[in-house]
Amino acid sequence: MNIQIRKLYYGDIPEDKTGGAIVSKDTKSDWPLWEVFIRSKQGLDHKHVGSLHAADAQMAIENARDVYTRRMEGVSIWVVESKHITASNPEEAGELYEPAVDKIYRHPTFYDLPDEVNHM
Amino acid sequence: MNNDLINYTLHLADNSLILGQRNSEWCGHGPVLEQDIAITNISLDLIGQARNFYQYAALLRKDGSTEDSLAYLRTEREYKNCLLTEQPNGDWAQTILRQFFFSSYQYLLYQQLQTGEDKQLAAIAEKSLKEATYHLRWSSEWVIRLGDGTEESHDRMLKAADELWRYTGEMFIAADYEKKTGIDIAALKEPWQKRVKEIFNEATLPYPEKIFMQEGGKQGKHTEHLGYILSQLQYMQRAYPGCEW
């Protein structure tokens, strides 16, 4: 599928302001973006560490192994294509998060704990 | 016997060093950032293996050699690497196929070597086998990806196979110094061919026909490419003997 896209990277000046042409690009020729999650040791969670390009899931795992675990950072890798992640909209932060601010009774801070109980 | 062992150890070291040096030429030029890192990672694995073998060879020689003098101060005729490892990078397809042919071989070889009589070589082989296993997996997937990819990538793989096939026969012909190692190098040929057939089949590439095979690398008779590699590799030590940094 041939579609018109405008490629912008960080710090780029939009082409229509510089007089450059809008590039026509075959979207299929670009490798998709993958998000990478690494578990640093057994028992811990997988943590998001970054993203990379790869043609398929297997290549994404291998790229992640080379890019993100070469200094012994991990024992397990997850990859997921970035397009499968749905993110919350920052503009909706008000209605999403602010209602929780004044509900301090949701924190378990109103119990008297015996001294013997540590790590609560 | 000891001389044979030294030469054999040098042969193993030279294979890894030369292929590592070749792959390192991609550093900063890989087709995409991720593959640039992948191929140079493999390069570092190979150079690491070469160091282990050179250190052992230096120890056996008892003549004041070091891993550095063995890598930097031997001439082309003293190098014993297989011809395949010194072939030019060409395009990505050729680099991938060279790695696949060689990793398939190295994988089988290290498996044998780790159970061999010589304890030091066995230990190095055991450690290096994990790396070779990954190189084989990585390069196999790339052969399939390119062979069964677009028309252009398929054509480039065919061209690469055409270019490299003639250097694959030598690997399975034992040099004199290989004959007393206890490893039957000719016996690796069949499993190697089986692996190549499997992967080529999956990659929709025809298995190459029988052609005349080049040999001589193991005896120090190289293609014209090795001289250029060594002049680049050894330049600093030749120009400034004993320099360190």
Side-chain angles (χ1 to χ4, degrees):
Chain A
M1 182 175 60
N2 254 325
I3 56 164
Q4 298 251 302
I5 57 155
R6 201 165 60 196
K7 268 192 126 178
L8 285 185
Y9 297 103
Y10 297 114
D12 269 6
I13 301 163
E15 283 150 336
D16 49 357
K17 290 189 182 148
T18 60
I22 289 173
V23 289
S24 171
K25 204 163 175 337
D26 185 359
T27 46
K28 270 192 276 184
S29 67
D30 263 346
W31 289 350
L33 193 65
W34 299 74
E35 300 298 325
V36 181
F37 301 81
I38 305 274
R39 163 183 277 169
S40 56
K41 62 179 189 188
Q42 297 297 346
L44 294 183
D45 296 333
H46 285 75
K47 287 242 162 56
H48 184 240
V49 293
S51 55
L52 46 73
H53 289 94
D56 51 52
Q58 198 52 45
M59 195 203 280
I61 291 273
E62 283 164 19
N63 288 350
R65 178 257 192 193
D66 287 328
V67 176
Y68 291 112
T69 69
R70 65 206 183 101
R71 299 186 185 89
M72 297 187 297
E73 290 96 335
V75 294
S76 168
I77 302 172
W78 286 352
V79 292
V80 61
E81 226 185 303
S82 307
K83 70 177 183 193
H84 296 307
I85 292 180
T86 309
S88 63
N89 186 346
E91 283 168 18
E92 293 164 359
E95 60 259 41
L96 285 175
Y97 314 115
E98 275 173 32
V101 171
D102 61 353
K103 298 182 174 70
I104 50 165
Y105 47 82
R106 289 178 181 166
H107 294 273
T109 50
F110 301 96
Y111 300 95
D112 288 324
L113 284 181
D115 291 341
E116 292 78 24
V117 181
N118 296 320
H119 309 300
M120 281 296 282
Chain B
M1 174 59 208
N2 201 35
N3 230 359
D4 283 343
L5 181 60
I6 291 169
N7 283 332
Y8 183 55
T9 308
L10 284 172
H11 157 69
L12 295 170
D14 293 344
N15 274 341
S16 292
L17 180 69
I18 298 302
L19 186 57
Q21 174 75 10
R22 267 296 189 219
N23 283 341
S24 77
E25 291 169 14
W26 275 106
C27 185
H29 303 277
V32 292
L33 175 73
E34 289 84 354
Q35 296 315 324
D36 194 296
I37 295 174
I39 193 79
T40 42
N41 236 343
I42 290 175
S43 198
L44 286 174
D45 285 346
L46 289 168
I47 292 169
Q49 293 171 12
R51 286 193 59 190
N52 288 329
F53 287 127
Y54 283 134
Q55 285 164 358
Y56 183 45
L59 199 75
L60 290 170
R61 276 164 66 121
K62 298 194 188 97
D63 61 354
S65 316
T66 64
E67 52 175 319
D68 285 337
S69 74
L70 292 175
Y72 292 127
L73 299 175
R74 278 180 311 136
T75 62
E76 191 188 336
R77 280 298 181 105
E78 292 169 281
Y79 264 77
K80 296 168 182 37
N81 57 285
C82 296
L83 299 175
L84 178 67
T85 61
E86 69 201 35
Q87 295 313 304
N89 286 343
D91 55 11
W92 186 245
Q94 193 168 323
T95 295
I96 290 297
L97 192 62
R98 185 185 60 199
Q99 190 65 47
F100 170 65
F101 283 160
F102 192 73
S103 291
S104 311
Y105 168 75
Q106 208 179 33
Y107 172 77
L108 294 165
L109 177 61
Y110 284 165
Q111 271 186 336
Q112 294 293 314
L113 203 58
Q114 68 171 349
T115 59
E117 276 173 40
D118 189 284
K119 292 288 161 259
Q120 186 63 26
L121 288 183
I124 300 172
E126 191 186 344
K127 178 175 173 289
S128 308
L129 181 60
K130 292 197 188 83
E131 295 167 348
T133 306
Y134 184 76
H135 302 165
L136 177 56
R137 173 183 146 165
W138 181 86
S139 56
S140 300
E141 279 165 15
W142 263 106
V143 169
I144 295 167
R145 198 172 281 132
L146 293 176
D148 193 18
T150 64
E151 200 178 315
E152 166 149 18
S153 70
H154 182 86
D155 284 350
R156 286 186 184 223
M157 284 306 286
L158 287 178
K159 210 172 126 262
D162 215 30
E163 190 65 40
L164 296 174
W165 189 246
R166 75 194 76 169
Y167 302 110
T168 58
E170 174 198 33
M171 299 191 287
F172 306 100
I173 302 168
D176 285 341
Y177 54 78
E178 274 180 295
K179 286 176 184 154
K180 290 174 203 154
T181 54
I183 292 170
D184 184 2
I185 200 86
L188 302 183
K189 192 171 185 174
E190 212 185 288
W192 184 86
Q193 287 175 331
K194 188 166 167 274
R195 172 93 196 183
V196 173
K197 266 179 198 150
E198 268 170 29
I199 299 296
F200 268 46
N201 191 28
E202 211 174 323
T204 69
L205 293 166
Y207 189 76
E209 285 168 28
K210 246 193 164 130
I211 54 164
F212 175 75
M213 290 287 179
Q214 299 286 341
E215 53 182 300
K218 291 179 175 182
Q219 287 82 20
K221 284 177 243 149
H222 293 279
T223 57
E224 69 269 31
H225 306 296
L226 185 67
Y228 292 98
I229 298 175
L230 292 185
S231 64
Q232 193 171 36
L233 180 81
Q234 299 182 336
Y235 172 78
M236 285 295 277
Q237 279 304 320
R238 300 282 191 193
Y240 305 95
C243 89
E244 287 179 35
W245 69 86

